Amino acid sequence: MAAGFFQAEMSSMLSSTLARSCSIPFRKTIMAFDFRIAMERNHCLRIRRSRFAAFSSSPSHSRDFPISGLENVFVGYVFGRKKATEVAHVVWEQVIQKGDMVIDATCGNGNDTLAMLKMVMNDSDDCDGYVYAMDIQKDAIESTSSLLDQTLGLKEKERVKLFNICHSKMEEIVPKNSRVRMVAFNLGYLPGGNKSIITVSDTTLSALKAAERILMPGGLISLVVYIGHPGGREELDVVEAFGSGLPVSDWVCCKFQMLNRPLAPVLVFMFKRE
């Protein structure tokens, strides 16, 4: 109720403030609007905003939000302060459990692989957590291996299995009857690499079908789809069509996309119901 009241009041007051003062810069993107200017010109807005801040930070409101930490990341993403990959990592943390098997279908420079490993491992030597990481580019495998060498001990690195193969062949390297908790994709080209080598719609669709087959109930298919290169939007269309075709009785699928940043990466999550 308080949040809805604030939004309505904010919209009304900002409109009146803009109408009264032509010195306030009107920009094309909502995220670029400087709320400090409006607040300096409208004392009432300052009061109501402070009330909303108190509501948002109150213990009762924090308890109402079911997933600790996720709220701040999503709000940061909405206001342009968090990257799509940061949102993805926080979502992963709500799904992955210690001892899980997960797949990094496009390991790139290894940052996602390392993040996954920290989520599946614990301090016990008998932890069964593993990350199966793959990439079709040898440069990506070498880059990931180098990052792991610099960051991990020998026992920790043994929990990562690296494969120089296409993501569509993930079923060939994951042990049969494995319970895979998550399959993650970064679709596009290797950051800092050859931009002419990209993931493509056909093999990505095959990889998504493979992920659907091996994912355990309560598991997640996570995608960050980069669309600023030739073929990127077509690949996003394939991802969306695949997710839209999954039965609602078994899957929850959603997409997060910036409206006024047409080349920004698109987040897609496909959660398999338990």
Side-chain angles (χ1 to χ4, degrees), residues 115-180:
M116 291 179 201
L117 181 64
K118 292 178 179 179
M119 295 177 198
V120 302
M121 284 199 64
N122 56 31
D123 296 331
S124 173
D125 291 336
D126 60 355
C127 175
D128 292 329
Y130 281 95
V131 179
Y132 282 75
M134 65 198 73
D135 204 291
I136 198 170
Q137 295 191 63
K138 187 177 180 181
D139 288 348
I141 297 299
E142 292 175 350
S143 180
T144 297
S145 181
S146 176
L147 176 65
L148 298 179
D149 285 339
Q150 297 171 25
T151 311
L152 304 174
L154 182 59
K155 286 187 176 181
E156 294 172 315
K157 192 178 178 183
E158 289 176 351
R159 296 292 175 177
V160 180
K161 307 298 182 183
L162 295 176
F163 299 90
N164 184 198
I165 62 170
C166 176
H167 54 1
S168 63
K169 299 181 179 180
M170 66 177 70
E171 288 175 292
E172 297 179 10
I173 53 97
V174 175
K176 288 186 177 181
N177 301 319
S178 296
R179 292 175 60 81
V180 176

Side-chain angles (χ1 to χ4, degrees), residues 247-258:
V248 69
S249 58
D250 298 322
W251 292 83
V252 179
C253 303
C254 61
K255 176 182 75 170
F256 297 88
Q257 183 173 19
M258 295 291 183

Side-chain angles (χ1 to χ4, degrees), residues 187-238:
L187 300 179
Y189 53 81
L190 175 66
N194 186 344
K195 294 184 179 181
S196 66
I197 304 176
I198 59 173
T199 55
V200 294
S201 299
D202 290 345
T203 53
T204 293
L205 179 58
S206 297
L208 286 170
K209 291 178 178 179
E212 178 189 4
R213 288 190 292 267
I214 65 178
L215 197 71
M216 64 183 290
L220 178 73
I221 299 175
S222 169
L223 303 102
V224 179
V225 187
Y226 292 86
I227 58 177
H229 59 279
R233 290 192 179 278
E234 290 77 8
E235 193 169 24
L236 176 62
D237 290 341
V238 168

Side-chain angles (χ1 to χ4, degrees), residues 28-97:
K28 293 182 179 180
T29 169
I30 295 175
M31 291 184 185
F33 182 81
D34 193 341
F35 283 98
R36 291 173 300 176
I37 299 175
M39 290 171 63
E40 288 171 0
R41 297 177 181 273
N42 196 319
H43 175 68
C44 185
L45 177 59
R46 289 201 301 273
I47 295 174
R48 284 187 169 87
R49 187 178 187 276
S50 64
R51 288 177 182 172
F52 177 72
F55 164 78
S56 298
S57 60
S58 67
S60 61
H61 180 259
S62 299
R63 287 195 300 269
D64 290 340
F65 199 84
I67 302 175
S68 176
L70 191 58
E71 181 180 22
N72 289 337
V73 172
F74 268 105
V75 170
Y77 178 69
V78 167
F79 287 100
R81 295 191 296 267
K82 294 291 184 181
K83 297 179 181 179
T85 51
E86 293 179 275
V87 176
H89 285 191
V90 175
V91 172
W92 298 352
E93 290 174 351
Q94 315 310 318
V95 176
I96 296 174
Q97 301 176 21

